[in-house]
mmCIF file of all heavy atoms in Angstrom:
data_model
loop_
_atom_site.group_PDB
_atom_site.id
_atom_site.type_symbol
_atom_site.label_atom_id
_atom_site.label_comp_id
_atom_site.label_asym_id
_atom_site.label_seq_id
_atom_site.Cartn_x
_atom_site.Cartn_y
_atom_site.Cartn_z
ATOM 1 N N PRO A 1 88.156 17.562 105.298
ATOM 2 C CA PRO A 1 88.193 16.498 104.155
ATOM 3 C C PRO A 1 89.409 15.803 103.906
ATOM 4 O O PRO A 1 89.517 14.709 103.581
ATOM 5 C CB PRO A 1 87.626 17.418 103.065
ATOM 6 C CG PRO A 1 86.895 18.479 103.678
ATOM 7 C CD PRO A 1 87.762 18.817 104.895
ATOM 8 N N PHE A 2 90.580 16.601 103.929
ATOM 9 C CA PHE A 2 91.882 15.935 103.703
ATOM 10 C C PHE A 2 92.171 14.965 104.660
ATOM 11 O O PHE A 2 92.752 13.872 104.418
ATOM 12 C CB PHE A 2 92.801 17.096 103.553
ATOM 13 C CG PHE A 2 92.661 18.069 102.349
ATOM 14 C CD1 PHE A 2 92.117 19.274 102.772
ATOM 15 C CD2 PHE A 2 93.058 17.819 101.220
ATOM 16 C CE1 PHE A 2 91.980 20.171 101.669
ATOM 17 C CE2 PHE A 2 92.877 18.704 100.035
ATOM 18 C CZ PHE A 2 92.169 19.910 100.371
ATOM 19 N N ILE A 3 91.867 15.257 106.006
ATOM 20 C CA ILE A 3 92.092 14.294 107.054
ATOM 21 C C ILE A 3 91.341 13.048 106.955
ATOM 22 O O ILE A 3 91.784 11.950 107.103
ATOM 23 C CB ILE A 3 91.869 14.959 108.438
ATOM 24 C CG1 ILE A 3 92.786 16.241 108.637
ATOM 25 C CG2 ILE A 3 91.983 13.915 109.528
ATOM 26 C CD1 ILE A 3 92.504 17.011 109.968
ATOM 27 N N SER A 4 90.073 13.256 106.518
ATOM 28 C CA SER A 4 89.064 12.226 106.325
ATOM 29 C C SER A 4 89.571 11.248 105.179
ATOM 30 O O SER A 4 89.520 10.084 105.374
ATOM 31 C CB SER A 4 87.694 12.820 105.957
ATOM 32 O OG SER A 4 86.751 11.705 105.730
ATOM 33 N N ILE A 5 90.060 11.810 104.118
ATOM 34 C CA ILE A 5 90.488 11.026 102.964
ATOM 35 C C ILE A 5 91.767 10.251 103.279
ATOM 36 O O ILE A 5 91.941 9.097 102.984
ATOM 37 C CB ILE A 5 90.661 11.829 101.637
ATOM 38 C CG1 ILE A 5 89.309 12.415 101.150
ATOM 39 C CG2 ILE A 5 91.423 11.121 100.537
ATOM 40 C CD1 ILE A 5 89.605 13.557 100.163
ATOM 41 N N VAL A 6 92.667 10.863 104.002
ATOM 42 C CA VAL A 6 93.896 10.172 104.435
ATOM 43 C C VAL A 6 93.677 9.019 105.359
ATOM 44 O O VAL A 6 94.272 7.877 105.130
ATOM 45 C CB VAL A 6 94.899 11.176 105.160
ATOM 46 C CG1 VAL A 6 96.044 10.532 105.791
ATOM 47 C CG2 VAL A 6 95.436 12.238 104.114
ATOM 48 N N THR A 7 92.752 9.242 106.192
ATOM 49 C CA THR A 7 92.436 7.951 107.132
ATOM 50 C C THR A 7 91.685 6.815 106.620
ATOM 51 O O THR A 7 91.703 5.841 107.062
ATOM 52 C CB THR A 7 91.508 8.581 108.343
ATOM 53 O OG1 THR A 7 90.383 9.109 107.837
ATOM 54 C CG2 THR A 7 92.273 9.524 109.226
ATOM 55 N N ALA A 8 91.267 7.204 105.342
ATOM 56 C CA ALA A 8 90.571 6.080 104.518
ATOM 57 C C ALA A 8 91.672 5.453 103.533
ATOM 58 O O ALA A 8 91.658 4.301 103.271
ATOM 59 C CB ALA A 8 89.411 6.497 103.808
ATOM 60 N N PHE A 9 92.442 6.311 103.084
ATOM 61 C CA PHE A 9 93.502 5.899 102.050
ATOM 62 C C PHE A 9 94.388 4.811 102.565
ATOM 63 O O PHE A 9 94.605 3.813 101.984
ATOM 64 C CB PHE A 9 94.207 7.096 101.577
ATOM 65 C CG PHE A 9 95.417 6.748 100.617
ATOM 66 C CD1 PHE A 9 95.132 6.424 99.319
ATOM 67 C CD2 PHE A 9 96.701 6.776 100.980
ATOM 68 C CE1 PHE A 9 96.073 6.123 98.451
ATOM 69 C CE2 PHE A 9 97.722 6.446 100.163
ATOM 70 C CZ PHE A 9 97.352 6.028 98.740
ATOM 71 N N PHE A 10 95.030 5.048 103.739
ATOM 72 C CA PHE A 10 96.047 4.076 104.272
ATOM 73 C C PHE A 10 95.359 2.767 104.552
ATOM 74 O O PHE A 10 96.100 1.766 104.291
ATOM 75 C CB PHE A 10 96.758 4.772 105.415
ATOM 76 C CG PHE A 10 97.707 5.822 105.048
ATOM 77 C CD1 PHE A 10 97.431 7.169 105.282
ATOM 78 C CD2 PHE A 10 98.926 5.367 104.473
ATOM 79 C CE1 PHE A 10 98.335 8.155 104.849
ATOM 80 C CE2 PHE A 10 99.916 6.463 104.073
ATOM 81 C CZ PHE A 10 99.588 7.686 104.306
ATOM 82 N N PRO A 11 94.266 2.673 105.285
ATOM 83 C CA PRO A 11 93.804 1.278 105.529
ATOM 84 C C PRO A 11 93.436 0.579 104.066
ATOM 85 O O PRO A 11 93.497 -0.611 104.009
ATOM 86 C CB PRO A 11 92.456 1.646 106.175
ATOM 87 C CG PRO A 11 92.726 2.910 106.909
ATOM 88 C CD PRO A 11 93.550 3.714 106.143
ATOM 89 N N ALA A 12 92.888 1.394 103.182
ATOM 90 C CA ALA A 12 92.494 0.767 101.916
ATOM 91 C C ALA A 12 93.656 0.129 101.207
ATOM 92 O O ALA A 12 93.580 -0.930 100.578
ATOM 93 C CB ALA A 12 91.924 1.777 100.923
ATOM 94 N N ARG A 13 94.882 0.731 101.398
ATOM 95 C CA ARG A 13 96.147 0.178 100.818
ATOM 96 C C ARG A 13 96.456 -1.170 101.340
ATOM 97 O O ARG A 13 97.180 -1.959 100.702
ATOM 98 C CB ARG A 13 97.234 1.168 100.955
ATOM 99 C CG ARG A 13 97.088 2.427 100.028
ATOM 100 C CD ARG A 13 98.296 3.230 100.130
ATOM 101 N NE ARG A 13 99.457 2.721 99.447
ATOM 102 C CZ ARG A 13 100.771 3.124 99.621
ATOM 103 N NH1 ARG A 13 100.957 4.200 100.507
ATOM 104 N NH2 ARG A 13 101.739 2.548 99.041
ATOM 105 N N LYS A 14 96.280 -1.390 102.687
ATOM 106 C CA LYS A 14 96.681 -2.385 103.409
ATOM 107 C C LYS A 14 95.691 -3.541 103.829
ATOM 108 O O LYS A 14 96.056 -4.722 104.324
ATOM 109 C CB LYS A 14 97.353 -2.019 104.675
ATOM 110 C CG LYS A 14 98.563 -1.180 104.451
ATOM 111 C CD LYS A 14 99.782 -2.108 103.972
ATOM 112 C CE LYS A 14 101.161 -1.318 103.952
ATOM 113 N NZ LYS A 14 102.231 -2.209 103.534
ATOM 114 N N LEU A 15 94.479 -3.364 103.566
ATOM 115 C CA LEU A 15 93.334 -4.305 104.019
ATOM 116 C C LEU A 15 93.585 -5.637 103.182
ATOM 117 O O LEU A 15 93.877 -5.623 102.002
ATOM 118 C CB LEU A 15 91.925 -3.735 103.605
ATOM 119 C CG LEU A 15 91.458 -2.557 104.522
ATOM 120 C CD1 LEU A 15 90.071 -2.259 104.063
ATOM 121 C CD2 LEU A 15 91.528 -2.950 105.996
ATOM 122 N N GLY A 16 93.492 -6.717 104.007
ATOM 123 C CA GLY A 16 93.405 -7.997 103.410
ATOM 124 C C GLY A 16 91.891 -8.479 103.556
ATOM 125 O O GLY A 16 91.244 -8.594 104.644
ATOM 126 N N ILE A 17 91.340 -8.959 102.451
ATOM 127 C CA ILE A 17 89.928 -9.366 102.379
ATOM 128 C C ILE A 17 89.798 -10.877 102.001
ATOM 129 O O ILE A 17 90.496 -11.238 100.966
ATOM 130 C CB ILE A 17 89.081 -8.488 101.407
ATOM 131 C CG1 ILE A 17 89.207 -7.037 101.798
ATOM 132 C CG2 ILE A 17 87.588 -8.998 101.536
ATOM 133 C CD1 ILE A 17 88.392 -6.149 100.955
ATOM 134 N N ILE A 18 89.231 -11.623 102.763
ATOM 135 C CA ILE A 18 89.165 -13.095 102.528
ATOM 136 C C ILE A 18 87.693 -13.564 102.517
ATOM 137 O O ILE A 18 86.890 -13.079 103.296
ATOM 138 C CB ILE A 18 89.895 -13.871 103.585
ATOM 139 C CG1 ILE A 18 91.303 -13.372 103.721
ATOM 140 C CG2 ILE A 18 89.881 -15.335 103.537
ATOM 141 C CD1 ILE A 18 92.104 -13.933 104.940
ATOM 142 N N ILE A 19 87.467 -14.374 101.590
ATOM 143 C CA ILE A 19 86.084 -15.031 101.438
ATOM 144 C C ILE A 19 86.275 -16.612 101.533
ATOM 145 O O ILE A 19 87.125 -17.107 100.910
ATOM 146 C CB ILE A 19 85.354 -14.617 100.164
ATOM 147 C CG1 ILE A 19 83.917 -15.166 100.187
ATOM 148 C CG2 ILE A 19 86.084 -15.054 98.925
ATOM 149 C CD1 ILE A 19 83.103 -14.591 99.098
ATOM 150 N N ARG A 20 85.448 -17.112 102.237
ATOM 151 C CA ARG A 20 85.490 -18.701 102.513
ATOM 152 C C ARG A 20 84.072 -19.148 102.746
ATOM 153 O O ARG A 20 83.163 -18.427 103.234
ATOM 154 C CB ARG A 20 86.377 -18.981 103.450
ATOM 155 C CG ARG A 20 86.226 -18.577 104.970
ATOM 156 C CD ARG A 20 86.965 -19.267 105.992
ATOM 157 N NE ARG A 20 88.417 -19.080 105.710
ATOM 158 C CZ ARG A 20 89.101 -18.150 106.354
ATOM 159 N NH1 ARG A 20 88.547 -17.233 107.139
ATOM 160 N NH2 ARG A 20 90.409 -18.082 106.029
ATOM 161 N N VAL A 21 83.909 -20.503 102.422
ATOM 162 C CA VAL A 21 82.702 -21.187 102.692
ATOM 163 C C VAL A 21 82.976 -22.533 103.404
ATOM 164 O O VAL A 21 83.907 -23.183 103.066
ATOM 165 C CB VAL A 21 81.917 -21.607 101.365
ATOM 166 C CG1 VAL A 21 80.690 -22.277 101.764
ATOM 167 C CG2 VAL A 21 81.566 -20.316 100.719
ATOM 168 N N SER A 22 82.367 -22.683 104.623
ATOM 169 C CA SER A 22 82.670 -23.874 105.391
ATOM 170 C C SER A 22 82.255 -25.147 104.740
ATOM 171 O O SER A 22 81.154 -25.262 104.074
ATOM 172 C CB SER A 22 81.925 -23.789 106.700
ATOM 173 O OG SER A 22 82.145 -24.976 107.487
ATOM 174 N N LYS A 23 83.165 -26.234 104.614
ATOM 175 C CA LYS A 23 82.838 -27.317 103.978
ATOM 176 C C LYS A 23 82.947 -28.577 104.886
ATOM 177 O O LYS A 23 83.359 -29.644 104.637
ATOM 178 C CB LYS A 23 83.850 -27.735 102.698
ATOM 179 C CG LYS A 23 83.693 -26.541 101.692
ATOM 180 C CD LYS A 23 84.664 -26.956 100.578
ATOM 181 C CE LYS A 23 84.546 -25.841 99.396
ATOM 182 N NZ LYS A 23 85.498 -26.148 98.327
ATOM 183 N N ALA A 24 82.546 -28.321 106.198
ATOM 184 C CA ALA A 24 82.645 -29.282 107.238
ATOM 185 C C ALA A 24 81.675 -30.467 106.972
ATOM 186 O O ALA A 24 81.803 -31.491 107.476
ATOM 187 C CB ALA A 24 82.379 -28.757 108.575
ATOM 188 N N TYR A 25 80.643 -30.224 106.074
ATOM 189 C CA TYR A 25 79.721 -31.317 105.948
ATOM 190 C C TYR A 25 79.172 -31.162 104.511
ATOM 191 O O TYR A 25 79.287 -30.170 103.832
ATOM 192 C CB TYR A 25 78.484 -31.192 106.907
ATOM 193 C CG TYR A 25 77.776 -29.952 106.795
ATOM 194 C CD1 TYR A 25 76.504 -29.869 105.979
ATOM 195 C CD2 TYR A 25 78.199 -28.733 107.484
ATOM 196 C CE1 TYR A 25 75.849 -28.707 105.878
ATOM 197 C CE2 TYR A 25 77.489 -27.651 107.289
ATOM 198 C CZ TYR A 25 76.343 -27.594 106.561
ATOM 199 O OH TYR A 25 75.557 -26.375 106.552
ATOM 200 N N SER A 26 78.487 -32.226 103.946
ATOM 201 C CA SER A 26 77.960 -32.202 102.660
ATOM 202 C C SER A 26 76.802 -31.332 102.679
ATOM 203 O O SER A 26 75.841 -31.567 103.377
ATOM 204 C CB SER A 26 77.636 -33.656 102.180
ATOM 205 O OG SER A 26 78.717 -34.373 102.002
ATOM 206 N N ILE A 27 76.751 -30.324 101.762
ATOM 207 C CA ILE A 27 75.593 -29.326 101.736
ATOM 208 C C ILE A 27 74.570 -30.028 100.748
ATOM 209 O O ILE A 27 74.958 -30.283 99.609
ATOM 210 C CB ILE A 27 76.065 -28.045 101.278
ATOM 211 C CG1 ILE A 27 77.101 -27.496 102.259
ATOM 212 C CG2 ILE A 27 74.852 -27.038 101.241
ATOM 213 C CD1 ILE A 27 77.881 -26.201 101.745
ATOM 214 N N LYS A 28 73.297 -29.960 101.110
ATOM 215 C CA LYS A 28 72.233 -30.581 100.306
ATOM 216 C C LYS A 28 71.351 -29.419 99.775
ATOM 217 O O LYS A 28 71.336 -28.314 100.274
ATOM 218 C CB LYS A 28 71.405 -31.497 101.087
ATOM 219 C CG LYS A 28 72.215 -32.670 101.774
ATOM 220 C CD LYS A 28 72.822 -33.497 100.768
ATOM 221 C CE LYS A 28 73.501 -34.590 101.466
ATOM 222 N NZ LYS A 28 74.374 -35.530 100.458
ATOM 223 N N LYS A 29 70.677 -29.740 98.719
ATOM 224 C CA LYS A 29 69.770 -28.818 97.949
ATOM 225 C C LYS A 29 68.690 -28.308 99.176
ATOM 226 O O LYS A 29 68.102 -29.091 99.918
ATOM 227 C CB LYS A 29 69.051 -29.458 96.928
ATOM 228 C CG LYS A 29 68.009 -28.479 96.255
ATOM 229 C CD LYS A 29 67.270 -29.359 95.086
ATOM 230 C CE LYS A 29 66.190 -28.400 94.376
ATOM 231 N NZ LYS A 29 65.645 -29.149 93.261
ATOM 232 N N GLY A 30 68.575 -26.998 99.294
ATOM 233 C CA GLY A 30 67.575 -26.363 100.301
ATOM 234 C C GLY A 30 68.293 -26.001 101.515
ATOM 235 O O GLY A 30 67.703 -25.307 102.381
ATOM 236 N N ASP A 31 69.619 -26.419 101.690
ATOM 237 C CA ASP A 31 70.382 -26.102 102.910
ATOM 238 C C ASP A 31 70.801 -24.660 102.793
ATOM 239 O O ASP A 31 70.848 -23.982 101.790
ATOM 240 C CB ASP A 31 71.571 -26.947 103.185
ATOM 241 C CG ASP A 31 71.175 -28.401 103.538
ATOM 242 O OD1 ASP A 31 69.965 -28.545 103.983
ATOM 243 O OD2 ASP A 31 72.005 -29.349 103.551
ATOM 244 N N GLU A 32 71.212 -24.062 103.933
ATOM 245 C CA GLU A 32 71.739 -22.740 104.011
ATOM 246 C C GLU A 32 73.226 -22.703 103.929
ATOM 247 O O GLU A 32 73.938 -23.337 104.762
ATOM 248 C CB GLU A 32 71.164 -22.009 105.205
ATOM 249 C CG GLU A 32 71.487 -20.580 105.224
ATOM 250 C CD GLU A 32 70.953 -19.944 106.574
ATOM 251 O OE1 GLU A 32 71.468 -20.114 107.653
ATOM 252 O OE2 GLU A 32 69.917 -19.131 106.467
ATOM 253 N N LEU A 33 73.773 -22.078 102.904
ATOM 254 C CA LEU A 33 75.216 -21.864 102.722
ATOM 255 C C LEU A 33 75.570 -20.702 103.671
ATOM 256 O O LEU A 33 74.834 -19.668 103.881
ATOM 257 C CB LEU A 33 75.714 -21.535 101.395
ATOM 258 C CG LEU A 33 75.340 -22.635 100.366
ATOM 259 C CD1 LEU A 33 75.752 -22.077 98.967
ATOM 260 C CD2 LEU A 33 76.204 -23.912 100.641
ATOM 261 N N ILE A 34 76.850 -20.772 104.280
ATOM 262 C CA ILE A 34 77.234 -19.634 105.120
ATOM 263 C C ILE A 34 78.491 -19.121 104.574
ATOM 264 O O ILE A 34 79.663 -19.458 105.205
ATOM 265 C CB ILE A 34 77.374 -20.088 106.618
ATOM 266 C CG1 ILE A 34 76.092 -20.824 107.085
ATOM 267 C CG2 ILE A 34 77.622 -18.852 107.494
ATOM 268 C CD1 ILE A 34 74.855 -19.814 107.239
ATOM 269 N N PRO A 35 78.576 -18.383 103.471
ATOM 270 C CA PRO A 35 79.947 -17.769 103.078
ATOM 271 C C PRO A 35 80.312 -16.682 104.160
ATOM 272 O O PRO A 35 79.332 -15.873 104.667
ATOM 273 C CB PRO A 35 79.528 -17.072 101.680
ATOM 274 C CG PRO A 35 78.112 -16.877 101.635
ATOM 275 C CD PRO A 35 77.540 -18.107 102.530
ATOM 276 N N THR A 36 81.553 -16.655 104.426
ATOM 277 C CA THR A 36 82.052 -15.647 105.449
ATOM 278 C C THR A 36 83.074 -14.677 104.853
ATOM 279 O O THR A 36 83.957 -15.115 104.040
ATOM 280 C CB THR A 36 82.822 -16.517 106.584
ATOM 281 O OG1 THR A 36 81.757 -17.457 107.078
ATOM 282 C CG2 THR A 36 83.214 -15.478 107.657
#
């Protein structure tokens, strides 16, 4: 359990999380957005 927690702790400290939505074209009502 200690090994398991350590291997999760270090990535959690350094992870970079990014959210974006493509705006390559005008999105119309009923279209599908693709947040990434």
Side-chain angles (χ1 to χ4, degrees):
F2 298 97
I3 299 173
S4 177
I5 293 172
V6 167
T7 56
F9 173 77
F10 285 104
R13 291 183 71 192
K14 291 292 186 178
L15 288 184
I17 304 175
I18 300 172
I19 185 169
R20 59 168 58 97
V21 179
S22 174
K23 298 182 181 179
Y25 62 96
S26 294
I27 304 170
K28 306 296 183 183
K29 180 179 177 180
D31 288 351
E32 191 176 68
L33 300 175
I34 309 293
T36 303

